[in-house]
Amino acid sequence: MANTVNHSPAGEGQFASRLFSQLAKSQPGRNVILSPSSIRTGLALAYLGAEGSTADELKEGLQLEGAGKSEVAQQFAHLLAKGQGKDEDGPKLNYANRIYVAQQLQLAQSYQDLVSKNFAAAAENLNFSQSVEAARRINSWVEEQTHQQVKDLIAADSLDGNTAAILVNAIYFKGDWQLIFPDYGTLAREFANYGGQKVSVDTMSQEDYFRFAELPELKAKALELPYFGSDIVFLIILPQDEQGLAALEEKLNGLDLNEISSQLARRKVKLQLPKFKFEFDVPLQPALEELGIKKLFGPEADLRSMLRESGKLRISEVKHKAVIEVNEQGTTASGATFVKAELESLVLGEEVLEFTADHPFFFAIKDSQSTFFLGHVSQL
């Protein structure tokens, strides 16, 4: 069976949910955004070079059960292909993954072949002892891959002659809403931050048909904003209680977001959503260790399949940074023009539901297969 690898939504969804839960709990008052699919892809690069219990931990932690390395690589190649050569009008989605390995260590040809075929030139030697130049090389590559959105991922002072390998991953997403928000609907409205402080923020507004549901078991409601020309959606889960985000996220831990999406139905909704832009970067080692991925970072790391000769290699850092901007046009950079197609005529007297995101909420950018981003807005 060529297709036994657990790259099913369940495998990725479980990893996404557990990782997000770890990070959200550790940063309750901070706006969080991360890309589970990007992080998992980057770590799959390490898995392809790992052996023994290091490989077992990665396979388990990333939920990659049941396949050989070449099958795992093929599955990820399929995921990465989703972002390439898309319809010009649809969202842009680019993954960037690379392992930088100290110059004195030679990468094994078989590893190079496996990753360059499936992950597009993903391993490179670098002289870490020249830390400023090494950081510049890494950062400019990431910047280029993310259309200048993600800058300064690695600080020069985190690299030195003892750095063995750095795993870098980035993702860029830009999508326009299927239903753009009219500029005239954006007004200053009140938002209750984490902790209760009220602030005035530019809040977008529109009334239209959206997939929506009340979720009494989560004490929340959910709504999906679709992106134009794509099956990717922006899912918002808004707790009923103003300060109910932590309790909601506790319940979401381990839950498959597709189960929530399946409960949504087309309803007429008056939607109010704040404009926001923020970036989030975090060293992932502590959260990954909580998920059982520990050996990768320690002296007993076994990454011998990555190297030509049997040098000792461990991953010294896994760094992730994501940037998000949500505005009237869509998500991330704006500027494309889009003529809205006429919707079916509004039924007179139909009940209009309210969805007012005026306090901390959870969001995801996803399709039925992958979770591209997870995040929460705690304060504006």
Side-chain angles (χ1 to χ4, degrees):
M1 283 285 291
N3 209 12
T4 49
V5 60
N6 187 356
H7 189 74
S8 66
E12 199 214 57
Q14 283 291 325
F15 169 74
S17 170
R18 289 166 63 217
L19 180 65
F20 179 78
S21 178
Q22 281 300 330
L23 290 168
K25 267 208 293 268
S26 66
Q27 320 261 349
R30 202 175 155 197
N31 292 334
V32 173
I33 177 168
L34 60 120
S35 172
S37 61
S38 173
I39 291 164
R40 192 167 179 252
T41 306
L43 288 164
L45 280 179
Y47 167 70
L48 297 178
E51 295 295 339
S53 55
T54 306
D56 294 342
E57 270 191 3
L58 277 163
K59 199 173 197 182
E60 176 101 355
L62 298 175
Q63 310 232 310
L64 298 170
E65 304 90 345
K69 285 183 177 172
S70 58
E71 288 170 33
V72 170
Q74 283 161 19
Q75 292 288 326
F76 280 96
H78 178 71
L79 172 73
L80 298 175
K82 186 176 177 81
Q84 312 312 323
K86 287 288 277 185
D87 164 19
E88 271 308 286
D89 298 328
K92 312 285 179 282
L93 178 69
N94 298 101
Y95 285 89
N97 293 282
R98 202 165 271 199
I99 289 185
Y100 290 93
V101 177
Q103 208 154 31
Q104 62 275 22
L105 300 168
Q106 285 302 304
L107 290 154
Q109 194 57 50
S110 55
Y111 178 75
Q112 280 280 44
D113 293 346
L114 188 61
V115 298
S116 62
K117 181 173 159 226
N118 296 287
F119 288 75
E124 189 182 310
N125 284 108
L126 205 54
N127 182 357
F128 291 122
S129 56
Q130 295 184 338
S131 59
V132 174
E133 174 57 17
R136 191 195 64 74
R137 285 268 302 273
I138 294 172
N139 289 335
S140 64
W141 181 77
V142 169
E143 212 173 299
E144 188 189 325
Q145 298 297 316
T146 61
H147 301 259
Q148 281 66 53
Q149 290 287 319
V150 177
K151 296 180 162 72
D152 306 322
L153 179 70
I154 294 280
D157 60 13
S158 69
L159 306 173
D160 59 35
N162 296 322
T163 305
I166 295 273
L167 202 155
V168 173
N169 72 69
I171 180 175
Y172 170 77
F173 174 82
K174 175 182 188 272
D176 290 341
W177 304 126
Q178 200 169 307
L179 304 167
I180 59 177
F181 289 83
D183 288 341
Y184 61 77
T186 300
L187 299 168
R189 292 185 173 92
E190 211 170 65
F191 185 90
N193 278 338
Y194 171 81
Q197 188 200 357
K198 302 276 201 295
V199 291
S200 175
V201 296
D202 281 348
T203 304
M204 310 180 292
S205 178
Q206 64 168 305
E207 191 176 301
D208 220 311
Y209 287 93
F210 295 99
R211 282 170 40 76
F212 167 92
E214 298 275 0
L215 304 168
E217 69 286 2
L218 294 177
K219 284 189 70 179
K221 48 177 105 169
L223 178 140
E224 273 180 2
L225 280 162
Y227 289 101
F228 179 68
S230 159
D231 55 353
I232 299 175
V233 297
F234 187 85
L235 168 70
I236 309 168
I237 306 179
L238 178 71
Q240 277 169 19
D241 299 339
E242 182 192 282
Q243 298 296 317
L245 182 63
L248 168 66
E249 288 179 340
E250 198 62 48
K251 291 179 188 149
L252 288 174
N253 187 9
L255 208 62
D256 184 348
L257 292 177
N258 287 330
E259 286 176 26
I260 291 174
S261 293
S262 69
Q263 296 177 50
L264 307 184
R266 262 175 82 76
R267 302 295 301 271
K268 192 176 174 196
V269 180
K270 181 171 187 197
L271 168 63
Q272 291 185 7
L273 179 67
K275 290 170 67 161
F276 59 91
K277 179 177 186 175
F278 63 84
E279 57 181 50
F280 176 74
D281 67 88
V282 63
L284 289 173
Q285 185 174 340
L288 292 169
E289 288 184 342
E290 289 288 335
L291 299 188
I293 299 172
K294 298 181 175 135
K295 292 197 160 69
L296 188 64
F297 305 106
E300 70 278 28
D302 184 351
L303 293 166
R304 70 188 117 125
S305 296
M306 214 179 271
L307 299 177
R308 190 168 296 172
E309 66 293 317
S310 57
K312 285 300 281 174
L313 180 64
R314 67 183 188 88
I315 299 288
S316 22
E317 193 173 1
V318 179
K319 194 74 194 289
H320 183 69
K321 184 172 187 174
V323 176
I324 186 167
E325 178 176 358
V326 167
N327 60 27
E328 289 86 357
Q329 190 72 33
T331 298
T332 307
S334 61
T337 52
F338 165 56
V339 180
K340 179 173 162 181
E342 283 302 303
L343 276 171
E344 61 267 54
S345 56
L346 301 178
V347 182
L348 287 172
E350 184 180 6
E351 184 193 6
V352 179
L353 301 159
E354 299 272 334
F355 193 100
T356 306
D358 61 359
H359 56 274
F361 58 88
F362 168 90
F363 66 85
I365 297 176
K366 63 183 274 296
D367 63 12
S368 58
Q369 258 71 55
S370 300
T371 310
F372 302 112
F373 292 92
L374 286 178
H376 66 214
V377 174
S378 278
Q379 51 184 314
L380 293 170

